[in-house]
Amino acid sequence: MSSKAEILKKIKQNQPALIADLPDLKVLGSEQFDVLETYKMVLKNIGGDPVEVADYAEIVNYIKTNYKIEKRIITTIPELSEIARLDWTNDDPHSLQNVELTVIKAHFGVAENSALWVTDDVLGQRISPFIAQYLAIIVHKKDIVATMQQAYDRIGNQEYGFGTFIAGPSKTADIEQSLVLGAHGARGLIVFLLD
């Protein structure tokens, strides 16, 4: 018997007995708090801006007021075609380098960390939320869950090619121990909380 096989044999012989049941994860997320208010507070704390809106017309007005419309704005959302291009999803990803604002939808959000779940079916291109100067994500208020445990339960066994949680603008604090937003991605994040 080789020394490797002998070591593995000894490890198998000396396994501790399972003395405890696995914890009940149903208690996670059972604490009571205002999910929407918590989401907004956490988002502000990590550098994002929550904006409550009633409909897409309010989103269009907000973008017209707060962004330079003459710069390149892209989206995958037909309701925003007045202010943003829809015909970019098959372009070379390198051509997206001059995008000022990308507007996408999230499947849902998570209150405890303000993360938003997006997959390739809402992104247009995987690079789109990461290459733009600014990012806006739309999520329905009813689609915000309290905890990551509930988020993973909601994702379940869904089929998707690419999925990620996005929370706040990019940031780093390793330069002289001071927080820098927009260090390696979008410089700002607006989350439109849609009724």
Side-chain angles (χ1 to χ4, degrees), residues 84-101:
R85 288 189 44 210
L86 296 169
D87 63 345
W88 59 275
T89 58
N90 293 321
D91 292 354
D92 176 0
H94 295 96
S95 71
L96 302 178
Q97 66 184 345
N98 65 343
V99 172
E100 180 73 5
L101 175 67

Side-chain angles (χ1 to χ4, degrees), residues 92-126:
D92 176 0
H94 295 96
S95 71
L96 302 178
Q97 66 184 345
N98 65 343
V99 172
E100 180 73 5
L101 175 67
T102 296
V103 186
I104 58 174
K105 275 179 119 171
H107 295 288
F108 63 87
V110 184
E112 73 177 354
N113 61 6
S114 79
L116 295 155
W117 175 247
V118 295
T119 57
D120 46 8
D121 62 322
V122 295
L123 292 176
Q125 288 195 31
R126 294 177 186 178

Side-chain angles (χ1 to χ4, degrees), residues 130-188:
F130 310 109
I131 200 167
Q133 290 294 313
Y134 298 96
L135 177 61
I137 302 179
I138 300 167
V139 66
H140 286 275
K141 291 177 184 177
K142 65 178 178 50
D143 290 328
I144 298 176
V145 299
T147 66
M148 285 300 289
Q149 177 67 31
Q150 292 167 335
Y152 284 116
D153 286 343
R154 185 164 175 172
I155 294 169
N157 293 324
Q158 290 178 9
E159 295 282 328
Y160 53 89
F162 172 81
T164 189
F165 284 102
I166 297 175
S170 69
K171 57 191 85 49
T172 185
D174 59 356
I175 301 167
E176 296 184 10
Q177 298 180 357
S178 61
L179 181 63
V180 177
L181 297 178
H184 46 267
R187 295 174 11 191

Side-chain angles (χ1 to χ4, degrees), residues 13 27 43 68 113 127 149 173:
Q13 291 172 345
V27 351
L43 181 62
K68 296 177 180 174
N113 61 6
I127 191 69
Q149 177 67 31

